Amino acid sequence: MIEVKNLTVAYQGKEALSNIHLTVRKGAITGIIGPNGAGKSTLLKGMIGLVPKNKGETTFEEKEIASVRKNIAYVEQRNEIDLSFPIKVEDVVLLGTFPKLGLFRRPKAAERQKVIESLKKVKMEDFAKRQIGELSGGQLQRVFIARALIQEADIILLDEPFVGIDMKSEQVIIDLLKELKMQGKTILIVHHDLSKVTDYFDDVIILNRYLVGCGPLDSTFTTENIQLAYGETMGNVLIKGVNSQ
Amino acid sequence: MIGHFIEGLQNYQFLQNALITSVVVGIVSGVIGSFIILRGMSLMGDAISHAVLPGVAFSYILGINYFIGASVFGIGAALSIGFVTRKSRLKSDTAIGIVFSSFFSLGIIAISFAKSSTDLYHILFGNVLAVRSSDMMITIIVAIIVILFVVLFYKELLVSSFDPIMSEAYGLNVGAIHYLLMLLLTFVAVSAMQTVGTILVVALLITPAATAYLLTNKLSVMIVLSAAIGTLSSVIGLFFSYSYNWASGATIVLTAAVFFILAFIFSPKQSILFKKRGMTNEEI
């Protein structure tokens, strides 16, 4: 379980997130939703200390998050990645073995073997030797998921993984995430498309610079909370699965 | 002409020093340069290589080895740029522009106190034919340190260059890697100052690396190619410089530029002659 207490993040004096208190269950897939600029990615980065925070703390299983960093697999938004970087698909996945290897140890045959297994799980083994710039958005996302799998981390953080990907990739990824959930992993996903919320997530965090709601879909993904986060205009739009009480 | 060069090599200590220094500087600039361009830090490379100037001047005044002064100012510049970027609304390219031009100006004034204008000319434009044995030894030591660093921390350099957020999330100290790289960049900038001069160091850092980048899809191959192109450029540049009495720095840099143009025209990866292969969306 991840616990965030009183997290406040400000950029140049403007508060991007104020006093966030929340808990994230293990063995569940939790979505972070909210309008543009609500601080969704900032929450993901702020809770593990990737952006400087003004105050607040995060714990995982009652330990400081800073002490369990090797247990975090993070998949950044795809558009933040340099697609012309001289690196092949298999070598991207191999990066996922680095945290456990530590300093000065090189990946060997065992790690290479894991790369192949991991690529098979996302059905990308035929693309192992390709340069990453040759892949489609969905294929690339599957490669990053393969890298997260190989990290064998208990905390999996994904920033907008479903944006601009094909249906097959979406299915492969969601099936794998459900499998990871069964293994008791803590999975947190930044997401902006409200229509798929009930398909993907068990719990949601609804955000608009402050915390609107946090908890299981039934009690949290309500018309009232969506209105609070997105403003009145969203109230009349019928969103699949929203609990209108 | 080549006979004349080889004869010179056999007879003159200064030409031997020049050749060894050129080779070593070519290798290290190629290696460090690969990381500089992949991390999108070409401008930073230019800034650090200019910012070492006051360090060199103060070292002359104080009578200490110029590597010490240059390192202090190189790292000082990297830290100032980082500080201004973090603490203001300015983007990093603006911070880089302000910091390096100020350091460089300070250096020009300091040198006018320290030495004659001939020395300033050599520092700005390089003179590989005037390299002393002691400078050559320092250059070799720098090369060993740089190559050791890259070999030992290859994994960390690779992952933090490609995906800094993922690396930082799993606990890698990306800040420490950045500043270590800046320290080594400073060392390399000072070594390269002897062959191409402060103003042109950036060319030796980024042109061979950019050429290699056009030719391969694998980082380790890119680093080796970049070092090879850097070395070839330095040696060919030295040869023309010695034979025709051309300015060594400019000759080396132009040789590197010729390699780049060839790669730009003929590279299969990014060629303007051959069309790039289409995306593979259909193969899903």
Side-chain angles (χ1 to χ4, degrees):
Chain A
M1 187 175 76
I2 297 176
E3 266 189 288
V4 176
K5 283 180 202 148
N6 210 16
L7 180 70
T8 296
V9 177
Y11 292 115
Q12 323 278 2
K14 268 180 73 179
E15 280 194 5
L17 288 173
S18 322
N19 295 313
I20 308 285
H21 282 273
L22 56 85
T23 57
V24 183
R25 277 195 296 156
K26 67 186 272 193
I29 304 178
T30 304
I32 303 177
I33 59 176
N36 286 334
K40 302 187 291 289
S41 298
T42 306
L43 174 61
L44 207 59
K45 292 192 168 83
M47 54 190 261
I48 60 169
L50 294 189
V51 290
K53 61 188 178 197
N54 297 52
K55 56 180 180 182
E57 59 178 77
T58 308
T59 55
F60 176 68
E61 314 292 9
E62 275 149 33
K63 279 185 241 127
E64 267 292 319
I65 198 85
S67 67
V68 296
R69 284 286 196 89
K70 278 194 183 168
N71 217 346
I72 301 176
Y74 194 108
V75 177
E76 174 65 317
Q77 284 185 36
R78 263 195 337 277
N79 57 19
E80 297 291 321
I81 300 291
D82 173 12
L83 295 181
S84 59
F85 197 96
I87 192 167
K88 290 177 191 159
V89 165
E90 56 182 2
D91 293 319
V92 171
V93 179
L94 191 65
L95 300 178
T97 65
F98 291 2
K100 292 234 162 68
L101 282 171
L103 285 179
F104 310 127
R105 273 178 57 207
R106 293 279 165 123
K108 302 220 169 59
E111 280 77 24
R112 293 271 168 199
Q113 187 55 39
K114 278 189 189 170
V115 167
I116 297 166
E117 287 161 19
S118 207
L119 278 172
K120 277 185 181 151
K121 282 190 191 151
V122 297
K123 304 190 171 59
M124 284 295 291
E125 67 273 22
D126 296 337
F127 295 82
K129 303 283 179 197
R130 294 286 186 90
Q131 206 275 334
I132 54 163
E134 298 173 25
L135 304 185
S136 72
Q139 292 171 329
L140 190 61
Q141 197 64 52
R142 280 189 269 158
V143 171
F144 285 119
I145 297 293
R147 185 186 69 189
L149 286 179
I150 216 173
Q151 285 185 254
E152 294 169 346
D154 289 321
I155 306 168
I156 299 168
L157 310 176
L158 312 173
D159 199 344
E160 296 279 13
F162 301 115
V163 170
I165 72 174
D166 55 284
M167 278 167 65
K168 180 187 170 183
S169 297
E170 181 186 341
Q171 199 55 50
V172 168
I173 291 170
I174 205 73
D175 289 348
L176 271 171
L177 291 175
K178 285 184 172 153
E179 205 180 303
L180 290 168
K181 164 178 109 175
M182 293 306 172
Q183 296 166 17
K185 311 278 188 189
T186 306
I187 305 167
L188 204 47
I189 301 176
V190 169
H191 188 68
H192 79 278
D193 175 13
L194 291 178
S195 67
K196 294 289 186 82
V197 167
T198 49
D199 296 339
Y200 295 157
F201 306 126
D202 306 301
D203 297 355
V204 280
I205 294 166
I206 302 175
L207 207 61
N208 192 358
R209 292 174 186 269
Y210 65 97
L211 184 71
V212 175
C214 168
L217 279 182
D218 301 345
S219 57
T220 316
F221 194 52
T222 60
T223 315
E224 195 192 347
N225 278 345
I226 294 298
Q227 273 180 14
L228 272 172
Y230 288 81
E232 288 297 326
T233 47
M234 285 297 283
N236 303 325
V237 181
L238 192 65
I239 298 155
K240 183 185 156 206
V242 169
N243 188 345
S244 53
Q245 287 158 344
Chain B
M1 205 168 67
I2 290 182
H4 174 63
F5 184 69
I6 289 170
E7 200 187 303
L9 268 183
Q10 285 161 346
N11 293 329
Y12 303 121
Q13 172 86 42
F14 79 87
L15 194 55
Q16 293 164 10
N17 285 356
L19 181 71
I20 296 170
T21 307
S22 299
V23 169
V24 175
V25 166
I27 294 172
V28 281
S29 347
V31 171
I32 285 289
S34 298
F35 292 104
I36 300 300
I37 72 161
L38 288 176
R39 297 166 85 98
M41 288 178 12
S42 302
L43 192 55
M44 191 72 167
D46 198 21
I48 302 277
S49 56
H50 281 73
V52 298
L53 191 63
V56 176
F58 286 123
S59 302
Y60 275 129
I61 295 172
L62 298 173
I64 54 176
N65 189 290
Y66 61 82
F67 259 89
I68 301 169
S71 309
V72 170
F73 278 87
I75 282 297
L79 289 170
S80 318
I81 290 164
F83 185 78
V84 174
T85 308
R86 272 198 312 277
K87 297 287 173 188
S88 75
R89 290 154 176 272
L90 296 171
K91 296 206 175 73
S92 72
D93 59 339
T94 310
I96 288 172
I98 295 169
V99 170
F100 98 81
S101 52
S102 313
F103 273 60
F104 195 62
S105 308
L106 178 66
I108 291 173
I109 290 174
I111 279 188
S112 67
F113 281 105
K115 285 266 184 170
S116 68
S117 56
T118 337
D119 291 300
L120 178 63
Y121 187 84
H122 281 172
I123 291 168
L124 294 184
F125 299 107
N127 185 1
V128 70
L129 297 175
V131 172
R132 289 172 303 177
S133 297
S134 59
D135 298 339
M136 183 183 77
M137 282 316 294
I138 294 177
T139 303
I140 292 172
I141 293 167
V142 164
I144 293 170
I145 294 172
V146 167
I147 290 167
L148 261 181
F149 171 77
V150 170
V151 169
L152 287 177
F153 295 99
Y154 182 76
K155 284 200 330 279
E156 289 70 26
L157 284 166
L158 168 63
V159 69
S160 65
S161 302
F162 176 65
D163 194 342
I165 298 286
M166 173 258 184
S167 339
E168 203 182 350
Y170 82 67
L172 192 66
N173 192 339
V174 290
I177 292 176
H178 172 77
Y179 285 108
L180 263 173
L181 198 60
M182 289 302 100
L183 180 66
L184 295 180
L185 175 62
T186 305
F187 290 164
V188 172
V190 181
S191 313
M193 196 175 77
Q194 308 164 78
T195 67
V196 293
T198 315
I199 294 179
L200 292 177
V201 164
V202 66
L204 209 48
L205 284 170
I206 65 179
T207 311
T211 310
Y213 176 81
L214 295 183
L215 298 174
T216 175
N217 279 331
K218 205 168 161 63
L219 177 61
S220 50
V221 179
M222 175 179 163
I223 294 170
V224 172
L225 263 179
S226 169
I229 295 166
T231 307
L232 265 177
S233 308
S234 298
V235 173
I236 295 174
L238 172 66
F239 169 72
F240 281 107
S241 172
Y242 177 75
S243 303
Y244 298 107
N245 201 21
W246 293 347
S248 67
T251 315
I252 291 171
V253 170
L254 281 183
T255 312
V258 169
F259 280 116
F260 176 78
I261 292 167
L262 289 177
F264 186 70
I265 296 173
F266 295 108
S267 129
K269 183 179 160 191
Q270 217 142 338
S271 164
I272 53 173
L273 279 190
F274 309 99
K275 256 209 158 144
K276 232 184 149 181
R277 206 145 53 99
M279 290 292 282
T280 50
N281 294 9
E282 305 78 23
E283 296 174 35
I284 295 169

